Every structure is written in structure tokens, then in C-alpha cells.
């Protein structure tokens, strides 16, 4: 029986483990990947010397090293497929189950799906995917690469590819005109100016790349693989099309647990409801990092530390006074890290067409190959949400369990019903959160 | 509240039972409204196993056995009319089916059960079955594991895609002019003989007939209409594997291959009230039995699993009634919405349309519990 | 189609993608190996038979399901390469 089980060895999970161990808690950390780091510091132990990835990435090595030294039990390459928080029982594969008094979900984010025409063609990928190729294999897309979408990652990746001698032939930025003014009005830029300056540095380094701004009507075209990217008013040949419209919390596990969720209007996604320490609506579960709302890795580190302090307090290892005292500086760090969010959220708000494709032919469910038009028809028949649409259309029954289509399906239904997106509850995932074999299950 | 909207029938419950009856009534030419809950609800129709199954139903209750057989017989016609109405292929396949026995004791018990059902069937609708020993069974299902000692077989059994069925029934119902109202949990109702008002979704519906097919919700709803529906939730869990190329020629009670290729592995029974949480220990038991039945299944990935609540009448046998106090009010309660869809759409609905349940449904009345409880 | 940067990460592990040998860096995933091999597809869907390549590379989209060392429908982006690993295209539903 561990005091604290942490799901995910990204910034939040690693920071929580280090803090919890320092407070004397026994800690189990589980991660699907073979090494700690999460997606942001993916493979940093192997790749920190690659200058192309930049200094911020290499800085993650320190966090990984302190995690390795923390004395937490680390089970890499391990999948959580069921969690019973009442019993504190984690079903894990490979290897057996584990027990913990408290569970911290630090499962991070996933890229927001970008359902455009042709996005299932080979050669179309998420920008995060290209970055993972860079981090885990030092590899870059060959041939003509086009980046399309928006967000901080777009410019970071553009610069990384440029440094690696694989600069994109074209950047199609989807941010509409006039957003910068809105972003400055949203505030936070002064307090968050350190991050803002970092972003400006990237933009400076990206100078010289061909950029088309305020792009709409994106689509991928080609026979058997992507060959062209087209948009309203233009088109270009390409071999790899990388899409990105920001990231959203990975809510599969928290939703499956039935944790209370709230609609995040700024980021147009659901996120688990947590208190100042990350404690969720179940009294033995906390959520920290991007999984509780997108804030970036610095905020995730702080959130992880706060969740660890709270765990120690709840388990009687830290007094209320001790908690308050230790939390104060972490809280300041957390607020600092989040300062630029209003600016970024306003600048990079996803357009309506990204959230609910206008074209009925666009495939929204990649697994079961279901189009936007079919979802709209199911909504007109009376499906009130993604759970009913799932029974009618199989959207969410495929291998990804709705990770790629759930939000889009809900959005399309909201559109047809004429209701606000937050009135359509999200897909309710079930275990196994990730596949396991019948034999593995039978061997329990 | 808005002005009352008049219909010839109000059906409460948009699951498989309610929508099969609703389609049957709409096909009879009645102007119907179908009231349903919303996206999040206890829906057995989302969680069932998809068998059209006669061989396990009605032991000790010959009327239930007969009704199930009628339904299995009516199923091809239901599938055909749904194909005609909305072009739906619900994947009906009735090649007969087997119940696998994993020990000599299971085999002996099963043989007794089948013999009793054959006795109870009598000669009017004889119940043909065979107990098949392992060597012959392997010829039918070559992937069987060494633990399988045999099976019972009846030619009446089969399976269907229950989700396509639900979708098709909804499309056929609305295509025939039926009105579907979601998020319409019954808030209030007024009952008088052949004169009913139901308030739901901020609207008022009135009709000379009301059919209660609200699943577990019937327990609370029925008394409002002078009826009784003693049903309880019974949890079942099911596992689904990745798709595999067609491999089984017939369904079994615990493993079947869907028309998409997935294997469904089921299903468990637990009396846990209104609890749909999944239990790894129960899931492991399902997996174990599936692997003993067909060892190759061990290698397959489980891509999905769920638990859902059956609507279980007190004695396991379906309940059908017309209200004595308020004629025109009917209930339908069962845990076999798939198997009985044929009977509900093609036999029960015409009775409801005509205003009178056939005498063969008398033994299904909930009044049977009054007698028993009084005794 | 992806290319390695030997100056950053030398390709030291030999794997076979649809039977063709390809050298990839240690730490790469089986899905990355397919991209580095320049394969036209990692799977053909069981619905329409359409070709797919990995989309997310982080375990979310399940578009990288492939046959890895004889085991079908493996999430190839979640498996690190090992010397001699055989990665083949998943063609529709699994055959048993």
C-alpha cells in the first residue's frame, strides 16, 4: 500500500513525486512511456544534447534527475486500465495491481483534434507528433512540410525544424485578424512578460519562413496520401501536413471515474473541477498539471507540488500550518506561470470550424469512419449527446474510445440542438482505459 | 405549461421495449409520441448482449417460453420491415445457438433444464433441442477449448446488432410520423379511463392510450396509472474485443461475434442496486470463462467493456398489463428487449392498438405477485 | 516520410518494416520506424480499408495499430524498437 500513487511522469507527476518523497510519503509513479518526462520533456535523458530542441527542453533534465533520485517507485511502460478510488486499487498492465491511499492523476494533455477534410490521409499528423519524432528519434519530416494551425507549439516546432535544416515550406496560421488586440485586452501579458518575450524570440527566429495568416477553409488533398494542402484562396503541394490547434486536458480517466467536470469557456474544453491544491470531487483523488486545465509545464510543476503537500496533509504527515507555509511560495510560482494564459487563450481561441466542421463530408470519428453529416443526422433524430450518438453511430466505440471524436461529436450535437456547448455532457468513458488482452485480464 | 398536444398513444421510454412498441403502433397507423430521457440515463438498450435467444427463457413458465418463441419467429419479419422502412440492416442472424458447458455437472444440469422446457412446451409449439457432446460440437465450433464438455443447442436462437436495432426503430418510428421527445422524464400525469395526460419536457401530452416502457422507471411510474411493475436493477458486465475476421458460425450464450467482427464476452449477474461501476474481479471471471471456452480469445485485445443494468422483474418473467382501473394504460417490463422486440413490435403493439391484451398474456400480469404475496 | 539526423541521434537499431530492413535510433518507437522507413501506410482500416499512418504519436489516436513481432493491433507508438523487431502493416480486422 503506497501513500500516494501518481499516474503520469510528466512535469506535474515528477514534481509531485519529489515533493511527496521529501515529506516522507511512499510514492508509486506509473507511466506508459519507457522514461520519465511526459510529452514536453519526452526522452530528455536521451535527447537533451540535441541543440535543435532548445534550452527550455534541456532544462527538463534537472527535473527528471531529481525524480530519479527521489526514491519513488517508478513503473515505466505501464498502463492504468482501471482505477477504483474507493478501494484505492489501481489495475495496471503489465504487472499486477497496486494499492494507494491517495491517487494523483497527472495524465497531461492531448492535442486538440483538428477535423478537416483529408485529415485521415497518410502524411497528415499533429505537430506534437512531429515533435515527438524529433525528441525520441532526432528525426524530421522529409520533403515539403507545411505547418497549419495556431498556438505556441506551431512557432516552437517551426523554429526547431528550421534549426534542424528541415524548415517548413509554408506556415498557414489560422489565427483570425484582430486577435492580438483582443489578447492584450484579456490581460496578463505584463505579468507574464517573461514567457511572452520567449515567444517573441521564437517569432524572430522564425523570420524568413513563408507565412499565410488568417487562413480559413483548410483541407488536405491527395490520393492515398497527402499531396496538397488547400485553403480559402490558395493551395500548395506538400508531403507532410502538420496540424495544431492547441492542446486540451486528457480527461479519459477523470471522466471514467465520474469526477465532476466544468466547461472551460476560454479553452473550449471540459476539465475536472479541482480546488487550490488539485483535490478533485472524489476525496481520494487529485488532478494536477495540464490534465486539470492547460497551463504549461511550469504551472504543472507547481500544481504537482501543491497536490503532494495536500496529500501529506491529508495523510497526517503535515500540519495545517505546515501546509499553508510550504504552499505559499509554490502558489506564487503557480500564479506566475499561469499569468500569460488569458493572453494566450484569447489569441489562440480555436475557431468554430475547428470545433465543429462545417463540411458534412469531414470524417470526425477516425476509428469508425463517421462523418460530421452522420452526427448531425443523429442529432436531428434526437440524440441529445455523445453517449446516444455512440449507440447510433459507434462514434467513441472504436479503438481510441472517443479521445479523437468525443468533443467534436458533442459540439456538432450542440449546434443542431441549438444549445450552448456546456449543456451537452461529454462522452462517459469506461474501463479498460487502454486495451489489454483477454488473457492478461483472465490471469488476474 | 403549454396547450395539450393530442396523440392516439403516448409511449414512455425510448429504449428497445418502448421504441419497438412505438414502431408497432405507428405502423398500425396510430399517431404516437415517444417520450425519452436524455444523453445520460440508465439504458439497458445501450448495454445488452444482442442475443435473440429462446433456449434459456421460460423454464417453469411455459407461457414465457411460448412468447419468446413467438418473438423469435416474428423477428425475420421485423428485420425485413425495418429494412423496407429505413433501409437498415440490423444484422439479424438466426442459425441456432449453443450454451456451452464447462463441466459434466454443468452439462447434466443443462440437460435437465432443456428436458423440463421440452416437457413444459407440450405439443402445441414443441421445443426441439439437442445436447451435443464435445466431439460433435468441435465440428461446429472448431476453436473450442479442451474444457468444453458439450452444449445444448436449439435451432431458434440467433443474434442481432442491438444498437443498429435501436437506431432503426427510432428512424422507422419518426419516418412513420411518430414524434420523439428527448429529455422528457415524466414530471406529472393524470389518469382516467382512456384519457391520459402526461407532463414532460415542459409540454403536456394527451392520449387515450399510454404505454409505460420506462424500464426501471416503470416501478415508480406504474402506480400512477393503477398498475404495478415490480422490477429491480440487476447489473451485468460485458467485454468487447478488437475486430477479428469472421470466425464463429453461431452465437453462444457467453461469446458471440458481432457483425462488425468484435467478440462480445459476457455476461455477469450481480445484485448491486443502481450501481454501474465496473469490477476488475468480475471482468476477470468473464475473461476466464471465455478463454476456457475458446483459448484463442486470450490473445485478443479488449477494446471496450461496460456494465449496465438489466430490468429484472421479481420472478424473472416479463410483465405485461392493462390497467383495470384506467383502461388504456399498459405496461411492458422485461430484461429481454432484443429477443422480445419481434413480439413487442408485431404482436403486442397491435393488441395495444386494439385496446385489449390477448388472453395469452394473462399470465404475464403483475397480479400474479398479489396472489403469491397473499399466499 | 521522415529522415534521421545522424549528427543528433545515430541510427543503431535494425528493424524490419514490412520485411524491409531499416536502421533507426534507439528510443524510437515502432511507429517512428514505420515513418522513417517511408512506408505508405501502417494500417488499413477494418471499415473501408483506407490507408493510415500514425497521427498523434502519443498513444491517443490509435491510428498506428500495426503488427509487431507477430502480434496484431499493437499501438506501435507505445512500443520502443528492439533489434530485429518486425513491424508489418495491419490489414483490416485481425485474423485468428
Amino acid at each position: 500500500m503506497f501513500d500516494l500513487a501518481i499516474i503520469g511522469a510528466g512535469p506535474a507527476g515528477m514534481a509531485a513525486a519529489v515533493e511527496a518523497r521529501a515529506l516522507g510519503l511512499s510514492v508509486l509513479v506509473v507511466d506508459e512511456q519507457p522514461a520519465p518526462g511526459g510529452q514536453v520533456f519526452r526522452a530528455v535523458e536521451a535527447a537533451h544534447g540535441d541543440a535543435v530542441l532548445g534550452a527550455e527542453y534541456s532544462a527538463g533534465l534537472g527535473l527528471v534527475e531529481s525524480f530519479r533520485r527521489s526514491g519513488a517507485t517508478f513503473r515505466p511502460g505501464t498502463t492504468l486500465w482501471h482505477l477504483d478510488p474507493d478501494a484505492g486499487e489501481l489495475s495496471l498492465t503489465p504487472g499486477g495491481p497496486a494499492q494507494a491511499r491517495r491517487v494523483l492523476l497527472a495524465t497531461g494533455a492531448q492535442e486538440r483534434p483538428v477535423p478537416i477534410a483529408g485529415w485521415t490521409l497518410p502524411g497528415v499528423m499533429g505537430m506534437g507528433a512531429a515533435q515527438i519524432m524529433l525528441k525520441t528519434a532526432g528525426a524530421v519530416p522529409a520533403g515539403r512540410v507545411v505547418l497549419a494551425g495556431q498556438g505556441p507549439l506551431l512557432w516552437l516546432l517551426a523554429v526547431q525544424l528550421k534549426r534542424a535544416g528541415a524548415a517548413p515550406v509554408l506556415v498557414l496560421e489560422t489565427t483570425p485578424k484582430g486577435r492580438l488586440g483582443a489578447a492584450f485586452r484579456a490581460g496578463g501579458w505584463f505579468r507574464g512578460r517573461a514567457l511572452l518575450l520567449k515567444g517573441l524570440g521564437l517569432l524572430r527566429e522564425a523570420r524568413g519562413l513563408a507565412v499565410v495568416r488568417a487562413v480559413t477553409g483548410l483541407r488536405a488533398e491527395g490520393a492515398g496520401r497527402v499531396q496538397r494542402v488547400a485553403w480559402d484562396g490558395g493551395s500548395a503541394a506538400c508531403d507532410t501536413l502538420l496540424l495544431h490547434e492547441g492542446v486540451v486536458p486528457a480527461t479519459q480517466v477523470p471522466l471514467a471515474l465520474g469526477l465532476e467536470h466544468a466547461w472551460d469557456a476560454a479553452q473550449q474544453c471540459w476539465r475536472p473541477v479541482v480546488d487550490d491544491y488539485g483535490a478533485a470531487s472524489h476525496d481520494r483523488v487529485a488532478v494536477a498539471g495540464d490534465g486539470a486545465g492547460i497551463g504549461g509545464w511550469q504551472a504543472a510543476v507547481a500544481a504537482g507540488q501543491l497536490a503532494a503537500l495536500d496529500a501529506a496533509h491529508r495523510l497526517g504527515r503535515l500540519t495545517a500550518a505546515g501546509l499553508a507555509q510550504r504552499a505559499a511560495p509554490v502558489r506564487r510560482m503557480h500564479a506566475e506561470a499561469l499569468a500569460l494564459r488569458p493572453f494566450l487563450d484569447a489569441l489562440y481561441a480555436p475557431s468554430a470550424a475547428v470545433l465543429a466542421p462545417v463540411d458534412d463530408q469531414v470524417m470526425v470519428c477516425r476509428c469508425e469512419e463517421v462523418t460530421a453529416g452522420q452526427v448531425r443526422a443523429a442529432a436531428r433524430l434526437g440524440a441529445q449527446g455523445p453517449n446516444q450518438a455512440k449507440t447510433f453511430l459507434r462514434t467513441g466505440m472504436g479503438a481510441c474510445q472517443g479521445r479523437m471524436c468525443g468533443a467534436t461529436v458533442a459540439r456538432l450535437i450542440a449546434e443542431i440542438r441549438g444549445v450552448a456547448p456546456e449543456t451537452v455532457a461529454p462522452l462517459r468513458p469506461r474501463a479498460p482505459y487502454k486495451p489489454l488482452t483477454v488473457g492478461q485480464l483472465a490471469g488476474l | 405549461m403549454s396547450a395539450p398536444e393530442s396523440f392516439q398513444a403516448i409511449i414512455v421510454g425510448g429504449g428497445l421495449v418502448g421504441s419497438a412498441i412505438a414502431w408497432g403502433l405507428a405502423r398500425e397507423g396510430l399517431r404516437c409520441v415517444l417520450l425519452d430521457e436524455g444523453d445520460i440515463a440508465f439504458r439497458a438498450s445501450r448495454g445488452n448482449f444482442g442475443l435473440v435467444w429462446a433456449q434459456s427463457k421460460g423454464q417453469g413458465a411455459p407461457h414465457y417460453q411460448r412468447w419468446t418463441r413467438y418473438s423469435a419467429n416474428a423477428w425475420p419479419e421485423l428485420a425485413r420491415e425495418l429494412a423496407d422502412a429505413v433501409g437498415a440492416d440490423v444484422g439479424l442472424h438466426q442459425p441456432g445457438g449453443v450454451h456451452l458447458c464447462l463441466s459434466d455437472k454443468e452439462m447434466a444440469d443443462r440437460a435437465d433444464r432443456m428436458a423440463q422446457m421440452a416437457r413444459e412446451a407440450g405439443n402445441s409449439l414443441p421445443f426441439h433441442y439437442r445436447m451435443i457432446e464435445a466431439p460433435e460440437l468441435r465440428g461446429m465450433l472448431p476453436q473450442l477449448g479442451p474444457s468444453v464438455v458439450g452444449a445444448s443447442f436449439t435451432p431458434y436462437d440467433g443474434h442481432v446488432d442491438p444498437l443498429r436495432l435501436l437506431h432503426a426503430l427510432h428512424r422507422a418510428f419518426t419516418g412513420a410520423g411518430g414524434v420523439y421527445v428527448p429529455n422528457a422524464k415524466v414530471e406529472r400525469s393524470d389518469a382516467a379511463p382512456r384519457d391520459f395526460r402526461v407532463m414532460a419536457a415542459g409540454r403536456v401530452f394527451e392520449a387515450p392510450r399510454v404505454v409505460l416502457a420506462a424500464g426501471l422507471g416503470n416501478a415508480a411510474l406504474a402506480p400512477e396509472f393503477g398498475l404495478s411493475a415490480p422490477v429491480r436493477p440487476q447489473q451485468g458486465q460485458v467485454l468487447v474485443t478488437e475486430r477479428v475476421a469472421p470466425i464463429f458460425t453461431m452465437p453462444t450464450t457467453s461469446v458471440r461475434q458481432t457483425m462488425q467482427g468484435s467478440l462480445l464476452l459476457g455476461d455477469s449477474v450481480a445484485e448491486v442496486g443502481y450501481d454501474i461501476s465496473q469490477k476488475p474481479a468480475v471482468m476477470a471471471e468473464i475473461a476466464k470463462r471465455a478463454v476456457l471456452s475458446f483459448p484463442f480469445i486470450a490473445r485478443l485485445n479488449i477494446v471496450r467493456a461496460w456494465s449496465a443494468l438489466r430490468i429484472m422483474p421479481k420472478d424473472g418473467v416479463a410483465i405485461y398489463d392493462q390497467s383495470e382501473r384506467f383502461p388504456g394504460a399498459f405496461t411492458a417490463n422485461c430484461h429481454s428487449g432484443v429477443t422480445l422486440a419481434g413480439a413487442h413490435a408485431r404482436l403486442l403493439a397491435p393488441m395495444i392498438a386494439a385496446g385489449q391484451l390477448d388472453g395469452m398474456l394473462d399470465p404475464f400480469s403483475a397480479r400474479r405477485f398479489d396472489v403469491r404475496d397473499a399466499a | 516520410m521522415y529522415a534521421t539526423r545522424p549528427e543528433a541521434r545515430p541510427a543503431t537499431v535494425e528493424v524490419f518494416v514490412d520485411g524491409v530492413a531499416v536502421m533507426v535510433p534507439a528510443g524510437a518507437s515502432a511507429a517512428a520506424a514505420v515513418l522513417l522507413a517511408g512506408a505508405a501506410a501502417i494500417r488499413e482500416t477494418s471499415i473501408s480499408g483506407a490507408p493510415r499512418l500514425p497521427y498523434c504519436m502519443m498513444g491517443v489516436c490509435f491510428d498506428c495499430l500495426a503488427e509487431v513481432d507477430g502480434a496484431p493491433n499493437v499501438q506501435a507508438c507505445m512500443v520502443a524498437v528492439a533489434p530485429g523487431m518486425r513491424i508489418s502493416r495491419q490489414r483490416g480486422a485481425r485474423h485468428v
Side-chain angles (χ1 to χ4, degrees):
Chain A
M1 173 74 81
F2 290 92
D3 291 323
L4 178 64
I6 300 171
I7 313 303
M14 291 190 293
V18 171
E19 189 74 30
R21 286 295 303 140
L23 292 161
L25 272 58
S26 60
V27 177
L28 168 70
V29 180
V30 173
D31 196 289
E32 288 184 315
Q33 298 300 335
Q39 297 306 340
V40 63
F41 300 129
R42 182 89 181 261
V44 70
E45 290 163 301
H48 64 91
D50 188 349
V52 155
L53 288 163
E56 188 173 357
Y57 172 74
S58 305
L61 186 62
L63 190 54
V64 171
E65 284 172 346
S66 47
F67 167 65
R68 291 275 195 196
R69 283 194 306 266
S70 69
T73 302
F74 183 39
R75 282 176 66 174
T78 302
T79 298
L80 174 81
W81 64 267
H82 182 265
L83 172 60
D84 180 346
D86 295 317
E89 175 99 358
L90 294 84
S91 301
L92 301 166
T93 182
Q99 289 77 33
R101 294 183 177 84
R102 191 163 177 78
V103 178
L104 171 61
L105 302 175
T107 49
Q110 67 169 74
E111 286 191 276
R112 186 193 300 278
V114 188
I116 60 168
W119 73 313
T120 54
L121 286 171
V124 182
M125 298 176 82
M127 288 187 202
Q131 220 191 20
I132 288 166
M133 286 297 286
L134 206 45
K135 291 170 181 172
T136 58
V140 291
R144 294 158 298 186
V145 181
V146 175
L147 270 49
Q150 59 174 346
L153 178 63
L154 182 149
W155 295 109
L156 176 59
L157 181 66
V159 164
Q160 288 171 333
L161 292 179
K162 192 177 172 195
R163 288 175 193 152
V169 296
L170 185 60
V171 174
L172 300 171
E173 200 182 28
T174 53
T175 311
K177 287 199 172 70
R179 276 287 177 76
L180 200 56
F184 276 110
R185 284 192 299 279
W189 62 271
F190 185 74
R191 204 169 161 212
R193 62 192 178 280
L195 267 179
L196 189 59
L197 285 171
K198 211 179 288 174
L200 288 173
L202 284 177
L203 287 178
R204 213 168 22 250
E205 201 178 339
R207 246 180 236 160
L209 296 179
V211 182
V212 180
R213 295 189 195 278
V215 163
T216 57
L218 262 180
R219 54 208 180 269
E221 298 169 350
R225 62 164 297 113
V226 64
Q227 291 162 321
R228 288 191 83 71
V229 55
W231 61 96
D232 294 339
S235 78
C238 72
D239 302 300
T240 298
L241 174 62
L242 302 174
L243 302 172
H244 184 73
E245 287 284 348
V247 296
V248 292
T251 49
Q252 204 76 2
V253 179
L255 282 175
L257 294 181
L259 298 183
E260 195 185 323
H261 281 63
W263 178 252
D264 185 329
Q267 299 179 346
Q268 295 289 304
C269 59
W270 291 96
R271 59 181 165 78
V273 174
V274 295
D275 71 7
D276 288 348
Y277 289 97
S281 59
H282 189 288
D283 65 5
R284 297 178 73 167
V285 179
V287 188
D290 277 358
I294 302 306
W297 73 267
Q298 287 104 329
V301 166
Q305 290 170 344
L306 289 169
L309 292 170
D310 189 41
H313 173 58
R314 284 166 186 260
L315 296 170
R317 315 290 176 80
L318 189 60
T319 62
L323 173 67
Q325 190 203 341
R326 283 171 188 256
V330 186
R331 218 181 275 299
R332 275 195 297 279
M333 194 172 90
H334 193 229
E336 202 68 33
L338 289 175
L340 195 63
R341 286 322 303 183
F343 177 92
L344 290 174
D345 290 345
L347 183 59
Y348 294 129
S351 71
V354 164
L355 300 168
V358 178
D359 178 359
D360 270 345
Q361 303 302 314
V362 170
M363 206 175 278
V364 297
C365 169
R366 300 171 63 97
C367 298
E368 297 288 324
E369 303 188 40
V370 181
T371 64
Q374 287 172 280
V375 175
R376 287 190 172 102
R380 287 191 190 101
L381 186 65
Q384 298 295 291
N387 296 292
Q388 267 173 307
K390 179 175 167 182
T391 61
F392 285 170
L393 301 173
R394 307 186 63 82
T395 46
M397 278 190 198
C400 91
Q401 293 265 281
R403 288 170 171 89
M404 296 299 286
C405 71
T408 313
V409 169
R411 192 74 177 209
L412 287 164
I413 291 172
E415 171 204 294
I416 294 298
R417 289 181 56 199
V419 298
E422 62 268 32
T423 59
V424 177
L427 206 54
R428 183 179 57 192
R430 309 300 298 265
Y433 311 141
K434 281 285 185 88
L436 75 163
T437 66
V438 180
Q440 284 171 325
L441 182 54
L444 282 180
Chain B
M1 283 272 173
S2 46
E5 302 168 55
S6 288
F7 291 88
Q8 289 171 292
I10 300 165
I11 302 96
V12 183
L16 281 173
V17 175
S19 42
I21 296 170
W23 158 240
L25 292 174
R27 193 200 45 208
E28 294 283 314
L30 267 63
R31 206 175 119 63
C32 302
V33 61
L34 177 58
L35 306 180
D36 200 1
E37 288 191 76
D39 193 52
I40 309 285
F42 289 114
R43 286 182 184 275
S45 299
R46 281 180 194 163
N48 64 68
F49 199 67
L51 295 176
V52 176
W53 210 249
Q55 70 166 282
S56 311
K57 293 197 187 80
Q59 182 191 22
H63 54 287
Y64 187 37
Q65 185 192 144
R66 222 164 15 249
W67 182 243
T68 302
R69 290 281 302 284
Y70 288 155
S71 193
N73 291 342
W75 244 107
E77 199 47 46
L78 173 62
R80 217 174 353 258
E81 71 188 22
L82 289 173
D84 292 345
V86 291
D89 174 9
V90 297
L92 178 69
H93 190 48
Q94 292 175 292
V98 292
H99 175 89
L100 302 178
C101 299
L102 298 186
S103 68
D104 292 334
K105 165 124 188 16
E106 278 186 30
M107 190 74 174
D109 291 349
R110 190 71 185 175
D112 289 347
R113 182 186 175 128
M114 293 289 104
Q116 186 189 340
M117 287 185 68
R119 274 196 309 279
E120 289 170 350
N123 291 326
S124 58
L125 187 64
F127 179 83
H128 296 294
Y129 75 97
R130 287 183 59 214
M131 296 305 296
I132 303 176
E133 302 286 331
E136 184 188 347
L137 195 58
R138 269 183 202 33
M140 299 159 68
L141 295 164
Q143 303 80 10
L144 280 179
S147 316
V148 178
V149 301
S152 61
F153 169 88
T154 68
Y156 320 114
D157 299 320
H159 54 162
V160 71
D161 183 328
L163 302 178
R164 284 199 182 191
L165 171 62
L166 184 65
H167 194 195
L169 287 169
H170 278 236
R171 284 192 293 152
F173 171 72
T174 53
V179 175
Y180 174 79
V181 185
N183 296 319
K185 204 162 174 158
V186 174
E187 293 147 18
R188 248 191 62 208
S189 58
D190 294 322
R194 298 198 167 77
D195 179 11
F196 301 95
R197 279 189 179 210
V198 171
M199 276 61 90
R203 292 157 70 175
V204 184
F205 305 94
E206 56 179 28
R209 291 176 200 81
V210 63
V211 183
L212 306 181
L216 295 165
N218 267 5
L221 212 49
E224 306 288 317
F225 296 84
L227 289 158
S228 152
V231 291
R232 68 172 192 280
Q234 183 189 68
Q235 196 206 59
Q237 299 189 38
V238 174
L239 312 177
V240 189
T241 73
E242 64 191 295
R243 287 175 186 175
V244 297
I247 185 159
F248 290 136
T249 51
M250 64 174 59
T252 83
T253 32
S254 55
V255 178
R256 76 174 188 95
Q257 184 165 31
T258 69
M259 63 189 295
Q260 289 82 18
S262 292
L263 302 192
L264 290 193
L265 316 179
D267 50 354
S268 60
V269 169
E271 302 290 345
V272 290
Y274 285 87
D275 177 3
I276 55 161
S277 64
Q278 297 167 279
K279 299 287 177 224
V282 174
M283 295 166 76
E285 279 309 311
I286 295 172
K288 268 179 211 160
R289 191 166 175 99
V291 171
L292 286 175
S293 303
F294 300 102
F296 81 89
I297 291 178
R299 301 195 305 272
L300 300 184
N301 288 306
I302 299 166
V303 296
R304 234 158 4 103
W306 67 79
S307 62
L309 300 179
R310 296 184 191 89
I311 294 94
M312 192 51 74
K314 229 175 179 177
D315 57 2
V317 175
I319 304 169
Y320 302 106
D321 253 329
Q322 173 162 209
S323 176
E324 286 179 332
R325 199 164 149 219
F326 305 117
F330 298 85
T331 53
N333 313 271
C334 70
H335 67 278
S336 307
V338 177
T339 299
L340 295 179
H344 291 161
R346 300 195 50 82
L347 302 175
L348 180 61
M351 297 178 203
I352 292 171
Q356 190 64 51
L357 295 185
D358 189 286
M360 74 171 157
L361 291 184
D362 286 350
F364 290 95
S365 169
R367 287 185 291 275
R368 68 184 185 260
F369 301 115
D370 306 340
V371 175
R372 206 170 294 170
D373 292 347
Chain C
M1 183 67 168
Y2 278 73
T4 53
R5 293 159 46 244
E7 71 279 13
R9 300 286 290 281
T12 54
V13 181
E14 186 183 54
V15 299
F16 299 88
V17 175
D18 289 325
V20 179
V22 55
M23 297 297 291
V24 301
S29 66
V34 170
L35 291 170
L36 286 166
I42 194 166
R43 74 177 184 116
E44 293 159 12
T45 69
S46 59
I47 314 265
S48 69
R52 295 282 171 88
L53 277 175
Y55 180 84
C56 81
M57 294 296 281
M58 57 177 91
V60 174
C61 76
F62 287 76
D63 251 324
C64 65
L65 295 176
E67 198 173 302
V68 178
D69 286 336
N73 278 333
V74 172
Q75 227 183 340
C77 77
M78 304 300 286
V79 181
V81 291
M85 178 182 275
R86 293 185 171 273
I87 308 151
S88 315
R89 192 183 295 196
Q90 178 71 40
R91 294 177 195 273
R94 177 174 185 156
H95 287 258
V96 291

